Amino acid sequence: MTSKLTSFVSKVEQELINGKSYNKTAIEKMAAAFGITDKTEIKELTELAIVNRARSIAQGIGTIREKYDRIVALYYTQVNLSHRTSQSILLQQYSTPAPIGYIGGIFCGLDKLDSNGGYGFEPSAGNGLLTIAGKPERIYVNEIDKIRNRNLKTQGFANVWDRDATKPFFDVAGTFSSVITNPP
């Protein structure tokens, strides 16, 4: 990922930490200051910042409920990421709200993979929102969208694939103690 993209993601993360709320126009203006004008790129990078911030909360101190409440508060400050393209419609790409991703990950045991020596799998990972409850190094992810796959590679996952998730993953069957997904 280029430095301008990384810098933009860091800026958005800092704004989320500060509780600053942005609308779509304001986030696009901020991105333009970093030389980023493609609306799809802006949407995906903004979501990456949300994923990073939500994962930081999920991996931080507190009870499951306290972390959940902080992730809900984050959700209410984030920009509406409603930009749709023919590609996102074709791939049926929808972003899971961070609070749902966190609770889903807890339900599937992603938060316990590190302590039990297991690995998790997300076969249609998007930017990784469903994985925030677990440590990335214990989770394998898959995403065919090039931008989202690139974003996943910045998060430290055990492995990042770009395979067709509508086809069976026979070569890794029985490998994972937890699987979480929004099916493609």
Side-chain angles (χ1 to χ4, degrees):
M1 187 180 291
T2 67
S3 63
K4 74 178 183 178
L5 301 180
T6 303
S7 295
F8 173 69
V9 171
S10 295
K11 175 69 174 171
V12 174
E13 282 181 59
Q14 189 57 54
E15 296 297 296
L16 290 168
I17 290 168
N18 294 336
K20 184 141 186 185
S21 213
Y22 283 90
N23 62 28
K24 185 176 175 186
T25 304
I27 205 80
E28 288 172 355
K29 184 176 178 183
M30 181 196 307
F34 287 88
I36 306 165
T37 56
D38 180 87
K39 291 182 187 322
T40 299
E41 184 83 56
I42 294 166
K43 173 188 175 286
E44 300 300 341
L45 291 170
T46 301
E47 184 172 298
L48 175 59
I50 292 164
V51 169
N52 291 343
R53 183 65 195 128
R55 178 172 284 113
S56 178
I57 293 168
Q59 301 300 313
I61 59 169
T63 65
I64 290 172
R65 178 58 193 243
E66 290 166 342
K67 293 175 190 182
Y68 173 79
D69 288 343
R70 288 195 296 272
I71 292 170
V72 168
L74 169 69
Y75 176 76
Y76 283 118
T77 64
Q78 75 187 43
V79 64
N80 181 340
L81 300 172
S82 61
H83 177 72
R84 303 281 288 156
T85 65
S86 58
Q87 176 77 356
S88 67
I89 293 166
L90 174 70
L91 296 176
Q92 298 181 33
Q93 295 173 324
Y94 298 96
S95 297
T96 302
I100 293 171
Y102 177 67
I103 289 301
I106 296 296
F107 179 80
C108 290
L110 296 183
D111 59 322
K112 302 204 177 0
L113 294 172
D114 194 44
S115 61
N116 68 21
Y119 284 90
F121 180 42
E122 215 299 28
S124 59
N127 283 304
L129 267 165
L130 285 176
T131 69
I132 63 174
K135 292 189 183 341
E137 61 271 15
R138 304 303 299 183
I139 303 171
Y140 288 66
V141 293
N142 181 66
E143 176 57 52
I144 61 172
D145 180 89
K146 289 180 183 355
I147 293 173
R148 289 173 167 206
N149 185 281
R150 177 206 61 206
N151 289 350
L152 290 169
K153 289 177 180 173
T154 69
Q155 297 178 54
F157 287 105
N159 205 338
V160 179
W161 294 316
D162 62 352
R163 296 163 64 173
D164 181 350
T166 65
K167 308 270 190 267
F169 286 78
F170 289 122
D171 57 322
V172 292
T175 302
F176 305 108
S177 56
S178 181
V179 177
I180 186 169
T181 192
N182 272 338

